[in-house]
């Protein structure tokens, strides 16, 4: 049975053991121990002690950066092994999990470089007898809580800036993808991170996650996951004024105008919803197509969707792998059944795949649904699977109203050759990210996060390091004579 990583030690967790299965065929990957509430208490106490040690608290940014540069190098050197493990853990195609490992390496390297640009300030003097400084300090113990869909990338997106800022981190991965998180613990230790500053505590959200967020020494909770869980975490954090960063769910609109390059648009829309088998927070799950090209575009869309290769994720030809597990497949399929009940028409897909070896795993085909209203629940709720709803629109105003009619505001995609229109839309859409004539492209230098119920705070970019720090103002008196007030 695999150990957990508690304050720099590999130990058997005292929680109920858990198992990792390969979503492609249900085979067992590993049995691992999970953390108990006592383990959580111990890890947080040790993290609190570790971040205050002079070796860490007084470390120079360049010293912390050196660890992250080494993490980046190790991730890159072990990309094949880590991608294979990630694929076993969550069933994503190998090409995609390689991309996630490289993204994690880029994040670590970018954060290391950016750390050197985070300056403290010698603020302008307002009074000749005082010098004033504004310095940045770490928060203390930070919790990182992550989902299963892009684990290694989202975990390093939290660990790198939090550690760069000088904090200690307790990482609680999604239970189904604990193996890759435990591997990260090994990599950070190998890169020279002092003991106690990182713990990786697998286990159930309701037990391990809850014990972490309830702990008074946890000063920030950086969470990526569902909106319901995020709201609960925000409430608990607010009760003791701990900071939160919340990267939550989405139901992102993609929009195709009649003047779009339809070859580019159709591929972009297909990639936006069906890559990762739709298990992406930013999946373009609601497609709006201008009425004049609606029929033609739908034909092209269905043809492309039917040509996608749903295969075993270790097959180099695979474009779409299995869904994470049977329970999630059932939840995705229930939405399709609901769509039918709401009057929707299934143009393609809509039934789990059971041909040959696909029967062994949780495979679901690309599914396209028409005939619904934007207000129907299937168009409003996050499905987190390969299901696209398509709606026609007449003009820009009615489109904006519908596209923004959602509790979410994570991302949006616009296809048009008219750049004046593209700009107007980009500014009017309620979304943290807007892609124009492209989709799901990322730059680590560009902030990421959601509007409305898709989240609070931003990750990535130089400011991500500052989001794990607090400012302190220091006043240095220059008077050579005593303050006359006491003697007046
Ligand atoms: P989830 O909310 O069920 O779980 C996320 C994490 O929270 C897991 O580690 C889970 O164990 C933990 N958790 C659950 N209950 C908890 C509690 N009471 N206290 C503390 N921790 C708890 O989400 P999921 O099913 O793992 O992931 C899918 C969701 O994540 C989707 O909604 C998706 O949109 C969202 N997501 C968002 C982003 C983003 O950047 N905005 C990225 C990826 C995924």
């Amino acid at each position: 049975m695999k150990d957990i990583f508690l304050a720099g030690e590999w130990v058997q967790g005292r929680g109920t053991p858990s198992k990792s299965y390969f979503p492609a065929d249900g085979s067992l990957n590993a049995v691992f121990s999970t953390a108990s509430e006592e383990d959580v208490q111990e890890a947080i106490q040790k993290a609190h002690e570790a971040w205050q040690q002079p070796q860490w608290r007084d470390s120079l940014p360049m010293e912390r950066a050196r660890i992250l540069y080494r993490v980046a190098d190790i991730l890159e050197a072990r990309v094949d092994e880590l991608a294979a493990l990630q694929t076993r853990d969550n069933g994503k195609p190998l090409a995609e999990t390689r991309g996630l490992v490289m993204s994690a390496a880029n994040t670590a390297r970018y954060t290391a470089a950016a750390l050197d640009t985070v300056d403290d300030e010698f603020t302008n003097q307002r009074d000749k007898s005082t010098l004033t400084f504004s310095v940045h300090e770490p928060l203390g113990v930070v919790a990182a809580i992550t989902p299963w869909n892009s684990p290694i990338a989202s975990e390093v997106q939290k660990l790198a800036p939090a550690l760069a800022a000088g904090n200690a981190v307790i990482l609680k991965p999604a239970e189904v993808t604990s193996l890759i998180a435990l591997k990260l613990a090994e990599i950070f230790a190998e890169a020279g991170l002092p003991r106690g500053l990182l713990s990786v505590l697998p286990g159930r959200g309701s037990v391990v996650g809850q014990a972490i967020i309830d702990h008074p020494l946890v000063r920030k909770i950086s969470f990526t996951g569902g909106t319901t869980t995020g709201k609960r975490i925000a409430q608990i954090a607010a009760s003791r004024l701990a900071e939160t960063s919340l990267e939550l769910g989405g139901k992102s609109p993609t929009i195709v105008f009649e003047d779009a390059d339809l070859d580019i648009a159709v591929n972009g829309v297909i990639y936006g919803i069906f890559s990762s088998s739709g298990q992406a927070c930013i999946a373009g799950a609601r497609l709006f197509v201008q009425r004049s090209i609606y029929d033609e575009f739908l034909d092209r869309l269905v043809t492309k969707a039917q040509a996608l290769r749903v295969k075993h994720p270790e097959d180099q030809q695979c474009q779409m792998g299995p869904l994470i597990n049977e329970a999630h497949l059932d939840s995705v399929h229930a939405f399709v059944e609901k769509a039918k009940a709401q009057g929707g028409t299934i143009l393609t897909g809509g039934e789990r795949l059971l041909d040959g070896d696909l029967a062994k795993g949780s495979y679901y085909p690309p599914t396209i649904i028409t005939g619904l209203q934007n207000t129907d629940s299937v168009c409003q709720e996050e499905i987190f699977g390969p299901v696209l709803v398509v709606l026609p629109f007449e003009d820009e105003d009615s489109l904006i109203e519908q596209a923004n009619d959602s509790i979410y505001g994570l991302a949006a995609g616009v296809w048009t050759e008219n750049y004046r229109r593209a700009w107007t839309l980009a500014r009017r859409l309620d979304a943290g990210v807007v892609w124009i004539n492209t989709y799901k492209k990322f730059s680590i230098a560009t902030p990421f996060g959601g509007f409305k119920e898709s989240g609070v705070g931003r990750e990535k970019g130089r400011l991500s390091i500052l989001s794990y720090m607090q400012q302190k103002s220091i006043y240095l008196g220059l008077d050579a004579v005593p303050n006359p007030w006491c003697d007046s």
Side-chain angles (χ1 to χ4, degrees):
M1 183 160 53
K2 282 195 167 297
D3 288 339
I4 64 171
F5 189 69
L6 197 160
E9 305 274 355
W10 291 98
V11 298
Q12 194 117 126
R14 288 166 277 186
T16 314
S18 190
K19 291 176 179 164
S20 155
Y21 295 98
F22 188 19
D25 57 17
S27 57
L28 182 69
N29 292 324
V31 181
F32 56 92
S33 66
T34 68
S36 66
E37 287 179 27
E38 289 161 281
D39 292 328
V40 171
Q41 306 298 327
E42 188 182 330
I44 294 175
Q45 188 56 44
K46 288 187 170 161
H48 183 64
E49 287 157 18
W51 84 274
Q52 295 181 89
Q53 294 301 312
Q55 179 198 11
W56 190 243
R57 204 178 173 141
D58 301 337
S59 61
L60 295 171
M62 57 181 279
E63 289 165 344
R64 300 195 297 278
R66 207 170 286 143
I67 296 169
L68 292 177
Y69 281 124
R70 280 199 289 263
V71 166
D73 290 345
I74 298 170
L75 287 167
E76 261 177 16
R78 291 170 65 175
V79 59
D80 290 333
E81 169 210 341
L82 295 169
L85 180 66
Q86 178 76 100
T87 290
R88 295 286 311 187
D89 235 5
N90 77 353
K92 281 193 164 188
L94 277 175
E96 212 177 313
T97 50
R98 269 186 75 87
L100 292 176
V101 177
M102 294 311 285
S103 157
N106 285 339
T107 302
R109 193 166 287 129
Y110 170 87
T111 309
L115 186 54
D116 243 346
T117 71
V118 174
D119 289 330
D120 289 329
E121 279 181 274
F122 171 25
T123 49
N124 274 354
Q125 264 182 295
R126 311 299 296 181
D127 156 5
K128 287 189 178 154
S129 65
T130 324
L131 292 182
T132 51
F133 303 85
S134 172
V135 298
H136 298 94
E137 296 194 349
L139 296 165
V141 181
V142 167
I145 303 181
T146 51
W148 45 262
N149 63 320
S150 304
I152 194 166
S154 40
E155 279 149 14
V156 175
Q157 215 162 285
K158 298 182 187 307
L159 295 185
L163 292 168
N167 299 287
V169 182
I170 307 293
L171 170 61
K172 154 55 194 109
E175 198 174 358
V176 287
T177 49
S178 298
L179 299 185
I180 197 77
L182 291 167
K183 200 49 95 174
L184 273 178
E186 193 185 301
I187 290 169
F188 274 85
E190 188 186 331
L193 185 72
R195 285 157 80 87
L197 290 166
L198 174 63
S199 285
V200 177
L201 305 181
R204 290 186 30 212
S206 55
V207 179
V208 179
Q210 191 67 43
I212 295 171
I213 61 177
D214 281 339
H215 202 293
L217 287 177
V218 171
R219 295 312 310 152
K220 172 163 180 160
I221 302 161
S222 176
F223 172 78
T224 301
T227 292
T228 308
T229 320
K231 283 182 181 175
R232 186 188 167 88
I233 287 175
Q235 280 171 351
I236 292 170
S239 69
R240 62 184 154 80
L241 300 181
E243 285 188 33
T244 51
S245 148
L246 305 169
E247 300 285 351
L248 309 177
K251 187 79 176 180
S252 299
T254 51
I255 299 154
V256 181
F257 282 93
E258 61 189 4
D259 63 7
D261 178 325
L262 297 191
D263 291 329
I264 291 178
V266 76
N267 280 18
V269 169
I270 290 273
Y271 177 68
I273 177 65
F274 296 128
S275 58
S276 307
S277 298
Q279 301 168 117
C281 54
I282 44 171
R286 279 186 303 151
L287 171 64
F288 295 93
V289 182
Q290 198 154 21
R291 177 84 70 187
S292 51
I293 56 159
Y294 185 74
D295 291 338
E296 181 199 346
F297 196 74
L298 265 186
D299 284 348
R300 296 172 73 146
L301 204 62
V302 169
T303 307
K304 285 266 176 186
Q306 288 173 341
L308 290 174
R309 295 182 301 274
V310 184
K311 282 181 174 290
H312 191 284
E314 289 171 341
D315 184 328
Q316 294 297 334
Q317 294 296 307
C318 171
Q319 288 171 303
M320 286 172 60
L323 302 184
I324 185 75
N325 53 34
E326 290 289 316
H328 188 53
L329 185 144
D330 289 345
S331 143
V332 169
H333 186 62
F335 274 105
V336 175
E337 290 297 323
K338 201 195 276 185
K340 286 189 210 161
Q342 289 175 346
T345 306
I346 315 298
L347 296 188
T348 186
E351 290 294 342
R352 78 175 295 169
L353 295 170
L354 293 167
D355 307 333
D357 280 351
L358 296 187
K360 295 184 193 158
S362 37
Y363 292 90
Y364 206 83
T367 297
I368 299 179
I369 305 175
T370 55
L372 296 175
Q373 302 292 318
N374 186 53
T375 46
D376 287 332
S377 60
V378 174
C379 300
Q380 291 289 322
E381 292 171 27
E382 184 182 42
I383 300 176
F384 217 57
V387 179
L388 176 68
V389 290
V390 192
L391 302 144
F393 73 90
E394 307 293 341
D395 55 44
E396 243 172 78
D397 285 336
S398 69
L399 162 77
I400 292 280
E401 201 179 307
Q402 290 190 80
N404 285 344
D405 180 17
S406 164
I407 58 165
Y408 297 113
L410 192 56
V414 182
W415 278 270
T416 173
E417 289 297 295
N418 177 341
Y419 272 77
R420 204 167 287 120
R421 165 183 277 164
W423 178 254
T424 307
L425 247 82
R427 299 308 301 259
R428 288 180 70 193
L429 285 164
D430 294 340
V433 185
V434 178
W435 283 289
I436 298 165
N437 293 326
T438 185
Y439 205 80
K440 266 194 175 182
K441 289 270 172 71
F442 285 114
S443 151
I444 180 63
T446 310
F448 176 79
F451 281 20
K452 300 194 282 188
E453 293 195 16
S454 288
V456 174
R458 295 290 177 269
E459 292 196 322
K460 301 187 171 181
R462 216 163 56 86
L463 296 181
S464 68
I465 301 170
L466 289 177
S467 77
Y468 289 96
M469 302 187 99
Q470 52 195 337
Q471 279 177 290
K472 179 182 279 176
S473 302
I474 301 177
Y475 288 74
L476 183 62
L478 298 176
D479 276 337
V481 290
N483 186 329
W485 184 80
C486 296
D487 305 320
S488 59

